[in-house]
Amino acid sequence: MVHNISAQDRPSVEQTPGSHRRKRRAVNCEECRRSKLRCDRQHPCGACKRRRREASCSYKVLSSAPTSAKSHGTPVTAPAPTVLNGEVVSPSTPLRQNFAGTSDLYSELPISETTQAPLGAHWEVVLERPGPEYEAHDTLSPLSITPRMPLQEIIDCLPPKSCCDYLISHFFKHISPLFPILHGPTFQKQYVAFVQRPHTIDLAWLALLFSVCSLALNTMDESDPRLHPCWPQPPQSPTQVPATVSLSRRLLRTAMTCLLQDEFFIRHKFSTFEALLMVIYNLSHNESVDQGWGLLGMALNIGIALRCNVDQNLGPIETERRRRCWAGLLTLHTYQGMLFRDVDMSYLLNIKAIPPADVNDADVTEDGILLRSCRGEPTHMSVMMAKLRLFRLSTQICHHISGPSRLDERLLHEFDAAIAEEQKQWDSTYLIDGSPNLLDSNSYAYWCVLQTYAHHLYLLLHRPFHHSKAPCFLPTSRERCISSSVALISIHRQLYEAPLLRNYLWLLSGVTSLKALHAAVALYSCLQDTPAAVNPAYDLNIFREDLERLTVCMKNTSGRSNICLRAYHILRRLQVQAGTENPPTGSPQTELEGLFENFTDIREWMDSDLINWTLDGAFNISAT
C-alpha cells in the first residue's frame, strides 16, 4: 500500500533535478523480480541458471530516493534484445529443455514495487505463476504453467515437423469425428502458413496446434516408430508414465501458456474460442471433466461475446466454423450435466442457434455447402449431430431427475423410449446387420462412444426405482440398471482389449472410465438387494468376473490417467467389502438402498475421503 508522507516527515535536504543521488545495486535480478522468484544475488543467479536464462540475468542500478511509477533504472548488463512478434527475446537465450518451473515460487516484493507496478503487469505476474502444489503433482490445471516464454521458445516446444504432420493426420482420421469443431481444409491452410512464417502466427491458433498435437499424442503408443523423432533419448521404462502421455501433458500446458500470453481473459478472437474448446475436450479425456469446468464457463461467455450462436453474414466456411464450435460447446456441457447431475443446464436450451450442416469437410467451400442426398451414410459431422441430440435429451433428463417429477413413471417411460429411439438410429448408421463394420473400424468406435451416453442416461433415469426397499420400486428399472451397467462395463473392456478398437484406447483416460465406474457402483448396488428380489436366472459369477476385469483394466491404465488410478482404488475397496458371499444379518439395508444414489456425484468418486467405507457388508454381492 502507498503511505502519505507529511511535510515534517520529508527529508530536510531538497532534492533538485541536478542533485547527486547515491546509487545502489538492485537486490534481485530483473528476471527474479519480474517472476517473483527468490534470487541468490549471484551473477548469474541460481534461479536463472535453473531456468536456463543466464544471458537474461541482469541487475538495475536504483536511486536511493523514491521514484515514481514511470521511473526506470538503467541495466548494468544486458544482451542486445530482439523484438519478435511483440516479444523481447534475448539473442543468446538457450532453448528450453523442460517445462517444469521452480519449486520456490513466492518471494516477497517490497511494498513500493507492488504498488508502483502497472496494473496489467501485476495481473500478468499473478496469472502466470503456478502454485507449488500444482507443479509437484504434474497436473494439467490451467494455472500449472511455466513463466512467460518468448515466442521462439514456445515454437521450439513443438515436436519436429515430421511428427507434427503425423499427429495432425492421426487427429483428423481418428479423433476429429468425435469432436469435429475444426474445418480440416482451413486448418491445413493455417498450418502451412505457420510452417512458412512461424513468427507471425497468432498465439491463440498456436495454442490450438499444441492442443491438437497433445490429444493425438495421448492416443498413440510410444513404440510407434513414426514418433521416434519426438524422443531425443529412448523413452522411459514401462513402470513410469508413458513418454507419449508425459509429452502430451507438456504440450497441453504449453497450449495454456499460449492462451495466457495472448491474454485470453480479456482479448477474445475466434481462434481463442477454437483453442479453448479443444483444450477443454483434451482435459475431459485426459484428466477429469471437473478441471475444465471453469474454462467451459469462460468459453460460453466468449462464444456469446463473439456471437458464434448467430449468423453474421460471413462466408459459408466461416459461418460453418462458428456453428461447429457452438455445437462443440454444447456437447461439452453434456459431460457436465450427466456427471455433475445437480448442475441444471436447461438454460442453454433457450439459446437459439442454427446447427452445423451434416456434411463432410470437403462439402464446405467458399462457394457454398453441398448438401448430399440422404443415403444413410455417415459424414464427418454425424457423431456431432448425434451428440447434439443427446445434449438436448440429457439436459431434459437431468432437469427431470433433479426436480419433483423424478418419480413420475409416465415421464420415465417417455424418456426411456426416447433413448431407445436414438439407439436404433445409431445401429442403422454404424452397424452392419447388428455387427461391427470390419471395413470401417472407426464406425464401430463411434457406436461404442454413443452407447456409453445412452446407458449412462438409463442409469440416471432408473436410479430411483432400482431397489426393492424404495417406495417406488420397479422390477423393470432394476433390470434396466443391471443390463446398462453390464453394457457399459463391456464397452469399457472392448475399448481396452479389442484389436479393432486399438486406436481408441485413449478414451479410457477420461469420461468413459467415469461412466464405467458409475456402472460398477450401480451393479454392486442392484445385486445387494434382498436375495428374494434378485433374479434367480442371474449368473452372479459372470458379474463378479466383469467387475474383476474392470478393476484390472483400471489398474493397468492408471499410469496414463489419474481418473483410472482413483477408480482402481475405489473398485478395490468395493471388492474388499464384497469379500463374503452373503450379507451379514442386520446389515444396514437403508444405506444399501442409498448406495447407488450417493455415488451419482462424480465429486465423491474423485475424492475417496468423502466415501463412507465403514458399511459392514454394504458391498457384498448376495448369492441365491
Side-chain angles (χ1 to χ4, degrees):
M1 57 183 295
V2 180
H3 299 278
N4 294 324
I5 303 177
S6 60
Q8 59 267 33
D9 294 329
R10 292 172 183 157
S12 56
V13 179
E14 182 179 358
Q15 297 286 350
T16 63
S19 301
H20 174 72
R21 296 177 180 175
R22 181 171 57 88
K23 307 289 185 179
R24 62 182 177 86
R25 191 168 183 262
V27 175
N28 297 334
C29 75
E30 282 296 290
E31 283 290 316
C32 290
R33 285 161 59 87
R34 185 184 65 82
S35 300
K36 292 191 175 182
L37 297 176
R38 182 170 297 150
C39 185
D40 60 13
R41 304 168 191 175
Q42 302 299 315
H43 188 74
C45 70
C48 288
K49 287 181 179 178
R50 289 193 299 272
R51 300 163 67 219
R52 300 181 181 273
R53 298 199 176 194
E54 296 94 331
S56 299
C57 185
S58 63
Y59 295 81
K60 284 184 177 180
V61 173
L62 302 177
S63 170
S64 59
T67 60
S68 67
K70 297 182 179 180
S71 300
H72 299 279
T74 303
V76 175
T77 59
T82 301
V83 178
L84 187 63
N85 198 32
E87 300 284 349
V88 179
V89 185
S90 170
S92 57
T93 301
L95 300 180
R96 292 178 73 88
Q97 300 298 321
N98 59 71
F99 296 81
T102 57
S103 58
D104 186 9
L105 300 175
Y106 299 109
S107 58
E108 293 187 6
L109 289 179
I111 292 178
S112 60
E113 292 178 17
T114 59
T115 56
Q116 294 174 5
L119 182 59
H122 168 71
W123 279 109
E124 175 184 296
V125 172
V126 171
L127 294 176
E128 72 178 10
R129 295 308 308 158
E133 67 275 12
Y134 289 122
E135 296 198 0
H137 293 88
D138 191 31
T139 181
L140 294 179
S141 164
L143 294 182
S144 178
I145 59 171
T146 52
R148 176 171 287 272
M149 299 166 60
L151 178 61
Q152 185 59 53
E153 289 190 16
I154 294 177
I155 294 174
D156 288 339
C157 292
L158 283 169
K161 182 182 180 301
S162 61
C163 286
C164 281
D165 295 347
Y166 177 46
L167 294 174
I168 292 171
S169 175
H170 179 86
F171 172 86
F172 279 96
K173 183 177 181 180
H174 297 293
I175 304 173
S176 179
L178 294 173
F179 192 61
I181 65 170
L182 303 180
H183 180 241
T186 298
F187 184 87
Q188 177 160 317
K189 290 180 181 179
Q190 293 169 334
Y191 178 66
V192 171
F194 163 70
V195 171
Q196 294 174 347
R197 302 182 63 186
H199 295 145
T200 62
I201 199 64
D202 170 29
L203 272 175
W205 185 89
L206 191 57
L208 176 63
L209 176 61
F210 271 102
S211 188
V212 165
C213 290
S214 168
L215 189 54
L217 194 62
N218 198 59
T219 69
M220 306 173 77
D221 194 283
E222 63 187 11
S223 63
D224 189 331
R226 290 162 291 190
L227 293 178
H228 285 174
C230 292
W231 325 123
Q233 298 177 349
Q236 301 292 328
S237 65
T239 58
Q240 301 180 6
V241 176
T244 50
V245 175
S246 178
L247 181 55
S248 173
R249 291 174 177 173
R250 292 178 182 179
L251 295 179
L252 187 55
R253 284 197 296 271
T254 310
M256 282 306 307
T257 299
C258 293
L259 286 175
L260 284 170
Q261 291 191 192
D262 199 45
E263 299 178 333
F264 81 106
F265 283 95
I266 56 177
R267 297 174 62 241
H268 311 323
K269 307 182 292 291
F270 180 65
S271 56
T272 307
F273 191 40
E274 281 185 312
L276 199 53
L277 292 177
M278 193 60 69
V279 166
I280 298 169
Y281 184 78
N282 205 333
L283 285 172
S284 299
H285 289 281
N286 283 289
E287 286 297 302
S288 181
V289 179
D290 59 325
Q291 289 200 17
W293 175 241
L295 290 177
L296 187 57
M298 294 185 63
L300 174 62
N301 290 331
I302 291 175
I304 293 174
L306 296 174
R307 303 182 67 209
C308 291
N309 59 312
V310 297
D311 288 346
Q312 306 175 50
N313 296 321
L314 301 173
I317 292 179
E318 293 304 311
T319 297
E320 196 64 18
R321 289 176 65 197
R322 281 154 179 78
R323 290 177 181 177
R324 289 185 177 192
C325 281
W326 186 261
L329 176 72
L330 296 180
T331 62
L332 289 174
H333 279 85
T334 307
Y335 298 150
Q336 303 294 335
M338 293 174 64
L339 296 174
F340 294 89
R341 61 183 178 87
D342 57 343
V343 179
D344 188 359
M345 302 290 179
S346 58
Y347 69 95
L348 292 172
L349 299 176
N350 298 324
I351 302 178
K352 304 301 180 183
I354 300 176
D358 188 8
V359 296
N360 293 322
D361 279 358
D363 298 329
V364 182
T365 67
E366 289 294 353
D367 296 328
I369 300 175
L370 176 61
L371 299 177
R372 304 189 177 194
S373 60
C374 182
R375 294 175 295 179
E377 296 180 1
T379 69
H380 293 161
M381 294 297 296
S382 293
V383 176
M384 177 65 85
M385 306 309 290
K387 285 186 175 181
L388 276 177
R389 296 193 302 271
L390 278 170
F391 162 73
R392 178 170 294 276
L393 181 58
S394 65
T395 301
Q396 293 170 345
I397 290 176
C398 291
H399 179 72
H400 158 69
I401 64 177
S402 299
S405 66
R406 65 194 299 259
L407 303 181
D408 188 332
E409 290 188 34
R410 180 184 59 83
L411 290 176
L412 169 69
H413 296 308
E414 287 182 3
F415 285 127
D416 204 63
I419 300 173
E421 185 61 32
E422 285 291 326
Q423 289 179 297
K424 290 180 182 179
Q425 188 168 340
W426 305 334
D427 291 349
S428 63
T429 302
Y430 296 110
L431 300 182
I432 303 296
D433 297 328
S435 300
N437 184 354
L438 299 180
L439 303 181
D440 182 12
S441 60
N442 291 339
S443 64
Y444 184 58
Y446 305 153
W447 180 87
C448 289
V449 169
L450 294 173
Q451 288 293 340
T452 64
Y453 284 87
H455 290 296
H456 191 73
L457 286 175
Y458 278 133
L459 292 180
L460 293 177
L461 192 59
H462 288 269
R463 183 186 67 253
F465 310 90
H466 82 285
H467 201 280
S468 64
K469 297 294 183 180
C472 51
F473 169 67
L474 294 174
T476 53
S477 285
R478 181 173 53 206
E479 299 299 316
R480 167 54 69 188
C481 285
I482 292 176
S483 62
S484 287
S485 296
V486 172
L488 274 171
I489 294 173
S490 174
I491 291 173
H492 191 278
R493 184 174 68 251
Q494 289 184 67
L495 289 169
Y496 178 67
E497 297 177 352
L500 190 66
L501 300 174
R502 182 65 184 84
N503 287 317
Y504 295 91
L505 177 65
W506 61 276
L507 289 170
L508 302 187
S509 297
V511 292
T512 303
S513 285
L514 288 177
K515 295 174 182 177
L517 177 60
H518 186 197
V521 174
L523 184 57
Y524 272 114
S525 180
C526 289
L527 298 178
Q528 287 308 302
D529 211 340
T530 56
V534 177
N535 190 334
Y538 288 148
D539 188 341
L540 299 182
N541 289 326
I542 294 180
F543 292 145
R544 292 190 186 96
E545 290 176 3
D546 288 342
L547 292 168
E548 289 172 1
R549 287 181 181 179
L550 178 62
T551 304
V552 172
C553 177
M554 291 293 188
K555 178 182 179 181
N556 292 341
T557 53
S558 60
R560 301 181 62 93
S561 166
N562 288 331
I563 287 178
C564 293
L565 177 62
R566 294 166 182 170
Y568 166 69
H569 291 312
I570 292 175
L571 290 172
R572 284 293 299 136
R573 295 299 294 267
L574 289 172
Q575 284 186 321
V576 170
Q577 295 288 353
T580 59
E581 296 244 336
N582 295 299
T585 304
S587 61
Q589 293 294 331
T590 55
E591 299 207 52
L592 282 173
E593 179 185 341
L595 174 64
F596 187 13
E597 174 78 17
N598 294 335
F599 263 75
T600 53
D601 191 333
I602 184 180
R603 286 163 293 194
E604 292 193 4
W605 305 346
M606 293 297 99
D607 188 351
S608 55
D609 293 336
L610 297 177
I611 301 172
N612 180 9
W613 298 109
T614 61
L615 305 180
D616 294 335
F619 298 101
N620 296 332
I621 299 180
S622 58
T624 57

